[in-house]
Amino acid sequence: MQNTSQSLTKQELQQTTLTILERCTETKVGEKPMPPEQVKKKVFNELVKLERNMSVADSIINSPLIATQGKKINVVSQIIRIIEFFLEITGKELEGYQIQVLAGDIYEKFKTDSLEDVVLMFKMARQGEFGKVYKCDTFEIMDWANKYLDYKSATRERLILKKKKKQEPEVITGKSFHELPKELQEKFSKIGKSRLITRKASDMMTTEKTLRDLEKPKEKQEVLKTEKSEALFSYEAFLKNLSETVGKMYDEALHKAFENTTQSTHPEVWEILNTEIELRKTQKELNDKSNRKTARSSKDGNKNAHPTN
């Protein structure tokens, strides 16, 4: 039976970090707004629960891009809360205007990534993944952002390599049945082997253990197939998520993501982004053509309405 609290947390992650944090400031009609300190405490408690179950791989596969999550001001407001959470835990300090400017810079840096990546970046910095935190200013934090995105890129490459890696076919070299020693021919006749035995098998067949192994299914190969399927799942889910969200991306974010994608190393991702760009280009051409046709019709209508004497 699944742990209830863990299941709820996974469900919350599916609702996105942005929506969960925004709910902390929601008030019902007729209710008074919560005091700022109470709001801050509620947001911090949610962040503690969220970051506990986050991982870079999950962010790559499941998390929506910041560019698809609505207005910039709404996202920046929650980035400010994430920064305040980090400062509260580490005991560091930044001026209010510095936090606002930093939140805007982080938004631009992670526009084609996710809000979960921002949370993970600060978590890794707090845990010393980018080195000991001697100071905390905007330059240092943006340097952490670069290191985090490099780490995320390496993680994505590992997921892609797992997908591309194929099991090499086993090269079988064997002996005909009549080439085996008479003693082995008699043993194989009893277990129904009468055509071709691999060289590796013929060398080991003098032991009773190998005879028993021949009668068992190839369990090792089945395990390898299962492990391979599980390794491919994460990347397949990432491609599925990208296919579902690419239509919501702003043009600028879409083209930036396309420029940062190499067709030779990420052919599936490149194809999804390229298809969306071509689709929008075709739609724009159709709209322009329709507008020109409408304009001509309007012009001709005006001429007919006012004939010359």
Side-chain angles (χ1 to χ4, degrees), residues 127-179:
Q127 294 176 338
E129 296 293 337
F130 308 133
K132 190 170 181 180
V133 181
Y134 291 102
K135 60 180 180 178
C136 182
D137 56 30
T138 56
F139 297 106
E140 185 74 13
I141 293 173
M142 294 310 293
D143 185 55
W144 297 343
N146 291 329
K147 291 177 180 177
Y148 173 82
L149 292 176
D150 287 342
Y151 178 81
K152 181 182 178 182
S153 178
T155 302
R156 182 183 289 111
E157 289 293 335
R158 287 195 293 270
L159 294 175
I160 293 172
L161 287 175
K162 284 182 180 180
K163 178 182 181 299
K164 289 185 175 181
K165 188 176 180 181
K166 296 180 179 179
Q167 186 178 4
E168 296 182 1
E170 183 181 357
V171 178
I172 299 176
T173 57
K175 293 182 178 181
S176 298
F177 183 74
H178 69 276
E179 295 177 322

Side-chain angles (χ1 to χ4, degrees), residues 28-64:
K28 297 180 180 179
V29 178
E31 289 184 351
K32 293 182 179 180
M34 288 185 292
E37 286 302 318
Q38 187 176 348
V39 172
K40 181 183 292 187
K41 183 178 180 181
K42 190 174 180 181
V43 170
F44 287 1
N45 287 336
E46 289 293 344
L47 284 171
V48 169
K49 290 191 295 183
L50 286 170
E51 72 170 16
R52 189 181 302 151
N53 293 280
M54 285 182 183
S55 70
V56 177
D58 287 338
S59 174
I60 293 171
I61 300 163
N62 299 316
S63 301

Side-chain angles (χ1 to χ4, degrees), residues 109-124:
K109 190 74 173 177
F110 286 83
K111 189 184 297 183
T112 55
D113 294 278
S114 68
L115 195 61
E116 286 76 8
D117 287 314
V118 179
V119 176
L120 287 167
M121 184 264 289
F122 279 108
K123 179 182 178 181
M124 292 176 66

Side-chain angles (χ1 to χ4, degrees), residues 178-272:
H178 69 276
E179 295 177 322
L180 295 174
K182 186 176 180 181
E183 182 182 353
L184 289 178
Q185 290 185 28
E186 292 175 356
K187 289 185 177 182
F188 278 108
S189 296
K190 294 179 180 179
I191 60 175
K193 306 292 183 181
S194 60
R195 292 187 178 180
L196 185 68
I197 304 300
T198 64
R199 184 179 302 277
K200 183 177 180 181
S202 66
D203 293 339
M204 300 175 63
M205 206 56 69
T206 55
T207 65
E208 290 297 323
K209 178 180 181 300
T210 307
L211 287 173
R212 291 194 301 270
D213 289 343
L214 282 174
E215 296 174 336
K216 295 180 180 179
K218 298 182 180 179
E219 297 176 356
K220 185 176 180 181
Q221 291 186 12
E222 295 300 324
V223 171
L224 288 175
K225 290 179 181 178
T226 302
E227 292 177 349
K228 182 180 177 184
S229 298
E230 292 175 350
L232 293 181
F233 174 76
S234 58
Y235 182 75
E236 294 294 342
F238 163 67
L239 292 177
K240 181 180 177 182
N241 181 64
L242 179 60
S243 299
E244 293 174 351
T245 59
V246 70
K248 301 177 183 178
M249 294 175 65
Y250 295 121
D251 288 342
E252 179 184 354
L254 175 63
H255 285 280
K256 184 176 180 181
F258 182 72
E259 291 172 1
N260 293 333
T261 303
T262 306
Q263 184 178 11
S264 58
T265 56
H266 308 85
E268 297 89 350
V269 178
W270 187 91
E271 181 63 28
I272 292 172

Side-chain angles (χ1 to χ4, degrees), residues 20-36:
I20 293 171
L21 296 181
E22 285 180 333
R23 284 206 310 266
C24 294
T25 56
E26 288 180 355
T27 55
K28 297 180 180 179
V29 178
E31 289 184 351
K32 293 182 179 180
M34 288 185 292

